[in-house]
C-alpha cells in the first residue's frame, strides 16, 4: 500500500510550463485549452476524424481549471449561452 | 474718498457661493432620496437652487465685468487661467472613463468570450450616424472660429450668424445622439461594453449640452452689444470649452466607436 502511494506520487504529473502563459495568473491558459479542446473535438467529429488527438488539451484544462468554472462552462455550452467561440 | 491703487478686482460679498454649496447638498441628498425613498422633492429643489445660483452668479460677473469695468487685463488673465485649469480638470475626468474602457477592452475577460466587442453585442456601425456626428462637431469647430474672427473684426452680423450656426450644429449633434440612444440594440446594462459606452458617451453628451448653453448665452450677449473687438473673454471661454468637447468626441469616436467595434 505504502509503495503504491509513493509510486503514485512519483508518477503524478500535471500540465507542464507553457511559455505562452508565463505569469502567475493562469486563467488564460485554462480558458485557451478549454476552447482548443472543444474546437478540436468539433472539427474532428465534423470531419469524421479521431477525437483522441484532442486529448492533450483536455488533460491540460482538467488539471488547470477550477471545477466550478468547468461545470459553469459545460452548462453554458449545453444551453447555448457559452460566450467563447467554438 | 478712498480709491483702490491696484488693478485687481476685490469682489463684493455675495450669497451665491453659499447658495451653490447648499444646492450641491440638496442635489446629493436629493439623489439618495430619489434612489432609496421614492421621493423626488429634494432633488428638484436642489436642481432649481442650482440653476438659480448659476444664473445669478454669472449675471453678477457680467455686471461687474461688462458694465462696471472691473475686468482689467490682469483680472482677465486670472479668468483665463481659471478656465484653462477647469478644462484641464475636465480632461482628467474623461481620462477616467477612457481608462475604464481600455482596461476592459484590451484584456476582455472569459465571461465576455475573451474578445471585444463581447459575445452577443452588435456595436453601432462607425461609418453611419457616428461619422455624421463627427462631421457635425468638426464643422461647429470651424463656425465657432468664424464667429471669433467676426468679433475680432467688429463684424456684428457675421458674429451673430456664426454663433447661430455653431449652436444649431450642437443641437443637431444632441438630437442625433438622442435618436441613436433610443434606437441602440444594447443598453447600459449589457456587460462592461454597455457600461463603458454609455458612461463615456453620456457624459460627453451632457458636456455638449453645457457647451451649447454657454454658446447660447454668448449669442444673447452679442445681441446686446456686450462684446468688443478686444474684450470678449466670455466668448473665448465658451469657444475653448466647445473645442474641448469636440476633441473629447474625436477620442470617443476613434476609441469606442471605431477601434472598439
Amino acid at each position: 500500500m505504502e509503495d503504491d502511494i509513493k509510486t503514485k506520487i512519483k508518477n503524478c504529473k500535471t500540465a507542464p510550463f507553457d511559455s505562452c502563459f508565463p505569469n502567475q495568473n493562469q486563467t488564460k491558459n485554462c480558458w485557451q485549452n478549454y476552447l482548443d479542446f472543444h474546437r478540436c473535438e468539433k472539427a474532428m467529429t465534423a470531419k469524421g476524424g479521431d477525437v483522441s488527438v484532442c486529448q492533450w488539451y483536455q488533460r491540460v484544462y482538467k488539471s488547470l481549471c477550477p471545477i466550478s468554472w468547468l461545470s459553469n462552462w459545460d452548462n453554458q455550452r449545453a444551453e447555448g449561452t457559452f460566450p467563447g467561440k467554438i | 474718498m478712498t480709491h483702490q491703487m491696484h488693478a485687481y478686482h476685490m469682489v463684493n460679498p455675495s450669497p451665491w457661493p453659499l447658495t451653490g454649496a447648499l444646492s450641491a447638498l440638496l442635489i446629493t441628498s436629493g439623489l439618495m432620496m430619489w434612489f432609496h425613498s421614492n421621493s423626488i422633492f429634494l432633488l428638484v429643489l436642489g436642481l432649481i437652487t442650482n440653476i438659480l445660483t448659476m444664473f445669478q452668479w454669472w449675471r453678477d460677473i457680467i455686471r461687474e465685468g461688462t458694465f462696471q469695468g472691473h475686468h482689467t487685463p490682469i483680472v482677465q488673465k486670472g479668468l483665463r487661467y481659471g478656465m484653462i485649469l477647469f478644462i484641464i480638470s475636465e480632461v482628467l475626468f474623461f481620462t477616467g472613463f477612457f481608462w475604464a474602457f481600455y482596461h476592459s477592452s484590451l484584456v476582455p475577460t472569459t465571461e465576455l468570450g475573451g474578445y471585444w466587442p463581447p459575445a452577443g453585442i452588435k456595436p453601432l456601425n462607425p461609418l453611419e450616424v457616428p461619422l455624421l456626428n463627427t462631421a457635425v462637431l468638426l464643422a461647429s469647430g470651424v463656425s465657432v472660429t468664424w464667429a471669433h474672427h467676426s468679433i475680432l473684426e467688429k463684424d456684428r452680423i457675421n458674429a451673430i450668424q456664426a454663433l447661430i450656426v455653431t449652436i444649431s450644429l450642437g443641437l443637431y449633434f444632441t438630437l442625433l445622439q438622442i435618436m441613436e440612444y433610443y434606437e441602440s440594440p444594447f443598453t447600459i446594462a449589457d456587460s462592461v461594453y454597455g457600461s463603458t459606452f454609455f458612461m463615456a458617451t453620456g457624459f460627453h453628451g451632457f458636456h455638449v449640452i453645457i457647451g451649447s448653453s454657454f454658446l447660447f448665452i454668448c449669442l444673447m450677449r452679442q445681441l446686446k452689444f456686450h462684446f468688443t473687438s478686444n474684450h470678449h473673454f466670455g466668448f473665448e471661454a465658451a469657444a475653448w470649452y466647445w473645442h474641448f468637447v469636440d476633441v473629447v468626441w474625436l477620442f470617443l469616436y476613434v476609441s469606442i466607436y471605431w477601434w472598439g467595434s
Side-chain angles (χ1 to χ4, degrees):
Chain A
M1 268 290 127
E2 225 183 73
D3 268 355
D4 266 13
I5 289 172
K6 273 197 179 143
T7 43
K8 270 187 188 169
I9 291 169
K10 199 161 50 133
N11 293 332
C12 196
K13 288 187 176 62
T14 185
F17 173 72
D18 186 345
S19 56
C20 291
F21 311 103
N23 296 324
Q24 183 174 350
N25 186 335
Q26 292 286 294
T27 305
K28 213 53 192 298
N29 195 350
C30 146
W31 171 256
Q32 198 57 54
N33 279 286
Y34 185 86
L35 287 181
D36 288 345
F37 170 74
H38 288 91
R39 288 172 182 170
C40 173
E41 184 188 51
K42 182 176 175 187
M44 291 321 253
T45 45
K47 294 185 178 170
D50 183 14
V51 184
S52 62
V53 301
C54 310
Q55 196 197 46
W56 174 258
Y57 300 124
Q58 182 166 55
R59 289 169 66 194
V60 172
Y61 86 68
K62 282 210 183 282
S63 302
L64 294 179
C65 299
I67 297 173
S68 60
W69 292 11
L70 297 179
S71 64
N72 189 22
W73 293 339
D74 291 340
N75 288 337
Q76 285 179 330
R77 280 189 304 111
E79 281 176 16
T81 58
F82 183 68
K85 286 179 174 150
I86 291 183
Chain B
M1 193 162 68
T2 45
H3 298 88
Q4 73 177 40
M5 295 301 265
H6 60 78
Y8 294 94
H9 183 195
M10 304 301 285
V11 182
N12 291 127
S14 162
W16 312 130
L18 178 62
T19 61
L22 288 170
S23 77
L25 172 64
L26 287 171
I27 287 172
T28 45
S29 52
L31 276 171
M32 293 307 105
M33 290 300 283
W34 185 42
F35 290 161
H36 298 287
S37 309
N38 198 28
S39 162
I40 210 173
F41 175 69
L42 273 183
L43 178 60
V44 168
L45 190 60
L47 288 168
I48 291 172
T49 50
N50 188 240
I51 289 169
L52 281 172
T53 300
M54 291 193 286
F55 175 74
Q56 290 171 110
W57 195 338
W58 286 325
R59 176 208 62 194
D60 284 357
I61 294 174
I62 292 172
R63 285 173 174 176
E64 292 157 6
T66 304
F67 302 146
Q68 296 178 340
H70 286 288
H71 290 181
T72 61
I74 193 130
V75 171
Q76 219 194 103
K77 199 144 195 266
L79 293 169
R80 282 172 195 278
Y81 277 133
M83 191 64 194
I84 288 167
L85 288 169
F86 174 64
I87 291 177
I88 290 173
S89 79
E90 294 255 74
V91 168
L92 292 170
F93 178 71
F94 276 96
T95 300
F97 294 110
F98 276 98
W99 188 331
F101 168 73
Y102 277 111
H103 178 103
S104 308
S105 58
L106 284 167
V107 192
T109 61
T110 56
E111 287 86 350
L112 307 173
Y115 50 84
W116 191 276
I121 297 282
K122 273 190 321 286
L124 300 171
N125 185 346
L127 299 173
E128 290 179 1
V129 175
L131 186 60
L132 172 60
N133 273 339
T134 305
V136 167
L137 283 185
L138 286 173
S140 72
V142 171
S143 62
V144 80
T145 307
W146 168 28
H148 192 193
H149 283 260
S150 304
I151 292 174
L152 289 167
E153 287 156 28
K154 302 177 163 76
D155 189 341
R156 179 178 166 77
I157 304 294
N158 265 301
I160 292 167
Q161 263 181 8
L163 267 169
I164 290 173
V165 168
T166 309
I167 295 163
S168 306
L169 287 168
L171 281 167
Y172 185 35
F173 175 93
T174 304
L175 285 165
L176 285 168
Q177 274 296 68
I178 290 171
M179 198 209 70
E180 281 283 272
Y181 270 30
Y182 187 71
E183 298 284 332
S184 173
F186 54 85
T187 71
I188 197 171
D190 287 320
S191 82
V192 74
Y193 182 88
S195 302
T196 50
F197 181 89
F198 286 105
M199 286 302 277
T201 61
F203 270 113
H204 173 261
F206 180 53
H207 284 72
V208 170
I209 293 167
I210 293 172
S212 304
S213 308
F214 195 172
L215 287 165
F216 179 72
I217 299 297
C218 287
L219 175 60
M220 293 301 105
R221 295 184 67 201
Q222 167 68 2
L223 288 169
K224 292 179 192 296
F225 301 90
H226 288 199
F227 299 134
T228 70
S229 61
N230 53 17
H231 190 168
H232 45 265
F233 176 65
F235 173 82
E236 287 181 75
W240 291 348
Y241 196 78
W242 193 251
H243 287 304
F244 155 71
V245 157
D246 188 9
V247 169
V248 170
W249 171 259
L250 294 173
F251 276 92
L252 276 176
Y253 180 73
V254 168
S255 306
I256 296 182
Y257 285 93
W258 191 357
W259 177 83
S261 68

